[in-house]
Amino acid sequence: MTELLKNFVSGRWQAGTGAGTPLFDPVLGTDLVRVDSTGLDLPAAFAFAREQGGAALRALSYRERGALLAAMVKVLQANRDAYDQIATANSGTVKNDSAVDIDGGIYTLATYAKLGETLGQTSGNGRFLVDGEAARLSKDGGFQSQHLLVPTQGVALFINAFNFPSWGLWEKAGPALLSGVPVIVKPATATAWLTQRMVQDVVDAGILPPGALSVICGSSAGLLDPLQPFDVVSFTGSAETAALIRSHPAIVQRSVRVNIEADSLNSALLLPDHAPGSEAFELLVKEVAREMTQKSGQKCTAIRRVLVPEALYGAAAEAISARLAKTRVGNPRNESVRMGALVSRAQLAAVREGLATLKTQTAVLHDGATHSIVDADPAVACCVGPTLLGARDPDAAPLVHDVEVFGPVATLLPYRDLAHALQLVQRGQGSLVASLYGSRPAELAHAAVELAAWHGRVHAVSPDVAAQHTGHGNVMPQSLHGGPGRAGGGEELGGLRALNFYHRRAAIQAGSAVLAALAG
Ligand code: NAP
């Protein structure tokens, strides 16, 4: 039997009482470890975090909590090699793709540690955040209204997706812990090992007060039941699970605040008049191929729809396909391999099914099936080559605007003019990110504003930033992550904006002397 990973709740490591669910190596098919949450006293675990963890965190200032994050960063950096090995084994990712998750998570945590330093002066006594200027309520200004943000006195429950076991934890935990709110993380079962190991390292280092960080691995059964009015839930995953969470009685009846990051049909748009050979054209081609293959396309922000002017459809298909053809797919332990595996047999089946669905309304421009699988048994490894589809009449292909295939798959769509292109992008019903490729600042700015209403982030790429831009799919802690509509309607990151979710806003109406006393 493989090792059974323990849960850390109520300040203790606790094994589930069931047989456990095995986690697999998606390349070799071998069993790795097991997870189980059967028999945990969840109400007690939530109460412990809320009462002990919350009180201890709130007793510190923002600056002091920022210092805790900085200490956590050091511990995670020191153990990085172990995380890399777990990612290779459990996520089947090549080194660069594992780094997106591991280093991306650590970088995001480090960013919030630094932001904590900036809150020392501006926050009231280090215990709350001042929100805007005081407003006069009386004629002479003797009685005023000052808005404050105070840390919510509950737990932050994170329910995470399988594709970012590191980043998914730290991009949420950084803002929550900095805010003074204790964290309980429930990673997706398939890749729970990395999350569990990182939490273990932080716990063992004794940096955080008891109850500040808990991890529950395994089934989500009963997980939402102990939620109380001041708790918050941050969910990342499928739209189906999101709908279950939104409608859960504990959330509906107790007004528990929920943030949802769900699926998304992100677009890349080449603006008109950029012929093959132009820098903008080449930048689009490069980014599309990169986005399709990074983490085998298992990124919520990956490009799913590629829009180009009608006249460039053939040239774009050829150029993207030529890049994809060079991608070596297979065992991430083989140095020549650039793209590893999907995370599980279930994901492999879902990608194949999604591809079959999209193929009913599209043509295959580059077929992933033509890629041989390097250094792995194709009957066992969850590996697929990248596939570029194309819909010559994108108005008549509703599925490409609706079906998210969570793998190395994108669809090329020709447009007549910019208005048509924007209309097609909007058919995604709200996405996390759209990227624009062009060379004229005014046109890029115009299109960016047009797309802003439908996206949490618009990424404009022009030749002058070719070597500097951070990538369509890379989520930077300085920028908002989340999208309206189908993308879940959530907001994460965006620098200090992320702290809003973990705070409660209140207006303090009082005389000037009281407001002066507030500021300390
Ligand atoms: P999922 O099946 O919805 O699972 C997400 C999480 O929810 C897992 O931890 C899962 O636990 C848990 N869960 C399942 N049923 C639940 C329930 N009834 N109550 C509470 N929790 C429950 O999604 P996934 O397959 O892991 O992730 C893929 C999807 O996530 C894609 O659609 C992708 O677009 C989206 N995604 C979005 C973002 C973003 O930031 N917007 C980022 C990454 C992924 P178990 O694993 O134990 O079932």
Side-chain angles (χ1 to χ4, degrees):
M1 280 281 241
T2 55
E3 182 194 351
L4 180 64
L5 300 182
K6 289 185 176 158
N7 307 284
F8 189 69
V9 290
S10 297
R12 292 182 290 125
W13 289 102
Q14 302 182 36
T17 52
T21 306
L23 272 53
F24 296 99
D25 182 318
V27 178
L28 308 178
T30 47
D31 280 15
L32 298 169
V33 289
R34 287 170 301 133
V35 294
D36 186 46
S37 60
T38 317
L40 295 181
D41 184 346
L42 295 176
F46 277 60
F48 183 86
R50 205 179 280 127
E51 287 154 24
Q52 311 253 342
L57 286 170
R58 289 195 305 277
L60 304 172
S61 67
Y62 290 90
R63 191 182 277 245
E64 287 167 329
R65 292 192 294 262
L68 296 185
L69 300 188
M72 289 160 64
V73 166
K74 284 199 180 134
V75 169
L76 296 172
Q77 279 167 339
N79 290 290
R80 202 204 166 281
D81 287 350
Y83 308 148
D84 195 50
Q85 284 169 20
I86 292 173
T88 306
N90 193 196
S91 292
T93 36
V94 296
K95 277 196 179 302
N96 283 348
D97 290 355
S98 302
V100 174
D101 183 33
I102 298 167
D103 297 327
I106 298 174
Y107 169 70
T108 303
L109 195 59
T111 302
Y112 280 92
K114 285 209 188 82
L115 285 172
E117 289 171 21
T118 68
L119 291 175
Q121 303 306 323
T122 53
S123 57
N125 293 326
R127 302 282 184 266
F128 58 85
L129 300 173
V130 175
D131 179 25
E133 302 284 315
R136 286 173 176 212
L137 298 180
S138 66
K139 257 192 184 160
D140 64 357
F143 192 69
Q144 303 191 29
S145 171
Q146 172 67 59
H147 287 83
L148 303 182
L149 292 163
V150 293
T152 190
Q153 298 200 6
V155 298
L157 172 64
F158 301 156
I159 301 176
N160 283 351
F162 66 78
N163 56 341
F164 281 107
S166 163
W167 177 82
L169 166 59
W170 301 120
E171 62 111 7
K172 296 180 184 184
L177 293 171
L178 182 58
S179 298
V181 179
V183 165
I184 298 176
V185 59
K186 191 281 193 234
T189 296
T191 57
W193 191 10
L194 180 55
T195 307
Q196 196 268 2
R197 174 60 195 268
M198 290 179 126
V199 170
Q200 186 185 323
D201 289 339
V202 170
V203 168
D204 286 352
I207 297 164
L208 291 171
L213 182 60
S214 308
V215 61
I216 296 172
C217 302
S219 162
S220 57
L223 191 62
L224 302 174
D225 297 340
L227 288 169
Q228 293 293 320
F230 298 100
D231 297 337
V232 299
V233 177
S234 185
F235 169 80
T236 303
S238 64
E240 293 77 31
T241 313
L244 287 176
I245 290 176
R246 277 190 214 280
S247 56
H248 190 279
I251 287 173
V252 175
Q253 287 161 16
R254 296 172 205 152
S255 303
V256 172
R257 189 183 281 172
V258 178
N259 191 77
I260 303 277
E261 301 288 347
D263 59 12
S264 174
L265 287 150
N266 314 295
S267 309
L269 166 54
L270 176 67
L271 292 180
D273 308 322
H274 295 91
S278 69
E279 277 189 85
F281 181 92
E282 300 305 329
L283 285 165
L284 169 106
V285 168
K286 187 173 162 197
E287 196 63 6
V288 169
R290 198 168 72 98
E291 282 290 313
M292 286 178 68
T293 53
Q294 191 174 57
K295 286 179 70 65
S296 299
Q298 298 170 112
K299 283 194 320 187
C300 51
T301 50
I303 296 169
R304 307 290 179 203
R305 298 178 296 157
V306 186
L307 293 96
V308 296
E310 268 172 351
L312 301 184
Y313 180 77
E318 210 171 292
I320 297 168
S321 299
R323 275 195 177 253
L324 295 178
K326 289 189 202 142
T327 308
R328 280 172 68 82
V329 184
N331 191 334
R333 296 160 186 90
N334 182 310
E335 296 225 326
S336 72
V337 166
R338 289 289 160 269
M339 188 169 97
L342 295 169
V343 79
S344 62
R345 300 299 298 180
Q347 279 307 305
L348 182 64
V351 166
R352 285 182 175 151
E353 192 185 300
L355 254 178
T357 304
L358 288 186
K359 280 181 188 173
T360 61
Q361 295 184 350
T362 60
V364 177
L365 302 177
H366 175 79
D367 191 350
T370 59
H371 288 249
S372 53
I373 306 301
V374 178
D375 214 1
D377 178 355
V380 173
C382 305
C383 295
V384 281
T387 294
L388 181 69
L389 302 171
R392 275 212 174 267
D393 182 1
D395 296 303
L399 289 173
V400 305
H401 308 292
D402 192 40
V403 176
E404 182 204 45
V405 180
F406 208 58
V409 179
T411 307
L412 188 64
L413 308 172
Y415 68 80
R416 292 185 298 276
D417 51 29
L418 187 60
H420 184 217
L422 296 174
Q423 207 181 57
L424 289 170
V425 173
Q426 285 176 13
R427 288 186 65 177
Q429 297 289 309
S431 301
L432 295 168
V433 50
S435 53
L436 293 166
Y437 303 80
S439 53
R440 292 180 286 274
E443 283 173 22
L444 283 161
H446 168 75
V449 175
E450 290 292 316
L451 292 176
W454 300 84
H455 298 86
R457 180 162 63 86
V458 180
H459 183 79
V461 181
S462 46
D464 54 317
V465 295
Q468 294 168 47
H469 81 93
T470 46
H472 162 107
N474 269 348
V475 176
M476 303 303 290
Q478 297 82 357
S479 297
L480 186 72
H481 174 59
R486 172 178 179 143
E491 286 198 351
E492 290 177 344
L493 301 173
L496 287 174
R497 290 172 190 83
L499 273 58
N500 284 337
F501 184 67
Y502 302 99
H503 283 76
R504 293 271 153 194
R505 195 188 316 272
I508 308 295
Q509 301 184 167
S512 317
V514 173
L515 294 187
L518 267 186

